[in-house]
Amino acid sequence: MRGAKWSNAMSHFRISGADSSLPRSYYLKATVDAARALLGHILVHESPEGTTGGIIVETEAYLSQDDPGCHASIGRTRRNDPMFGPPGYAYVYGIHRCACLNLVTAPEGVPEAVLIRALEPVTGIELMQQRRGLLRLKDLCSGPGKLTQALGVTLALNRADLTVQPLYVGAAAVTAGPVVATTRIGLRPEKGADLPLRYYFADNPYVSRR
DNA sequence: CACTCGATGTTCT
DNA sequence: GAACATCGAGTGG
């Protein structure tokens, strides 16, 4: 399980005709490919308290400086710096009381990342329930802040190397199904809210919202 | 240093 | 569907 990780997910990329509403330029972006390819793979965090993980069922792509929704659209800063680094590292940022986990995708110098928005709970469910303070599986990891809390992912894992650190992407699970592309969540209208860069399994009950 | 604002979640009505 | 809790980063003095 430990050997699969990032390169495994990247190698599963296939261009799908379902993206025909995207501008042509976005087809060329590896991050869009990664956002789709990561669906169905398992995300695992091995912490001293125990191992937790789930199947990635919802992602969002954030595309460099041309994307007004991307943190890097304002240029390189202390916060978004990890996005400029080489791919395969974590970009974790805080919003309100939550941590949001991104996987850096593009080559060094190109600030792109995939936000992990929801997991289908698989491993360490009891520990995740304990961390979240609730029992219902549907609510454990159905949001970017929820899943980091469930997995015990904090800002301490910012810049973590996903091929070395105890946080990693495993092999694809058997579950799959049709993928839906919609607009991203939580962006103000002028921040690229109209771009269909959110992907999720159409019939999966663990996505953050319909 | 003081202010503003979220790629959010929970708890209300 | 709306209010709000809450904190690190960004921005402008």
Side-chain angles (χ1 to χ4, degrees), chain A residues 112-133:
Chain A
E112 302 188 344
V114 173
L115 171 67
I116 308 301
R117 280 199 60 91
L119 304 178
E120 178 176 332
V122 172
T123 304
I125 289 177
E126 282 191 13
L127 178 53
M128 291 195 286
Q129 288 171 325
Q130 182 181 328
R131 283 169 172 157
R132 291 274 296 133

Side-chain angles (χ1 to χ4, degrees), chain A residues 1 4 27-28 55 64 85 87 90 100-101 130 132 137 149-150 160 164 193:
Chain A
M1 177 64 86
Y27 280 107
L28 307 175
I55 299 167
S64 190
C100 290
L101 171 66
Q130 182 181 328
R132 291 274 296 133
L137 257 54
Q149 184 183 28
V164 175

Side-chain angles (χ1 to χ4, degrees), chain A residues 77-148:
Chain A
T77 66
R78 182 158 59 116
R79 175 167 77 151
N80 64 33
D81 187 72
M83 268 200 288
F84 288 79
Y89 287 78
Y91 167 43
V92 185
Y93 70 91
I95 179 172
H96 292 82
R97 208 53 189 283
C98 312
C100 290
L101 171 66
N102 295 256
L103 278 46
V104 178
T105 49
E108 185 155 15
V110 182
E112 302 188 344
V114 173
L115 171 67
I116 308 301
R117 280 199 60 91
L119 304 178
E120 178 176 332
V122 172
T123 304
I125 289 177
E126 282 191 13
L127 178 53
M128 291 195 286
Q129 288 171 325
Q130 182 181 328
R131 283 169 172 157
R132 291 274 296 133
L134 52 80
L135 299 176
R136 286 181 51 194
L137 257 54
K138 279 185 62 172
D139 300 326
L140 274 192
C141 302
S142 56
K146 296 177 186 177
L147 70 91
T148 53

Side-chain angles (χ1 to χ4, degrees), chain A residues 3 5 17 44 46 53 76 81-82 85 97 117 174 176 180 200 202 210:
Chain A
K5 305 182 198 172
V44 179
E46 296 171 354
R76 192 168 189 160
D81 187 72
R97 208 53 189 283
R117 280 199 60 91
V174 281
V180 180
Y200 62 90
R210 290 258 101 87

Side-chain angles (χ1 to χ4, degrees), chain A residues 22-46:
Chain A
L22 284 174
R24 168 92 187 147
S25 59
Y26 287 129
Y27 280 107
L28 307 175
K29 306 252 182 208
T31 301
V32 172
D33 312 339
R36 300 186 67 107
L38 283 166
L39 293 175
H41 285 255
I42 188 167
L43 176 69
V44 179
H45 183 216
E46 296 171 354

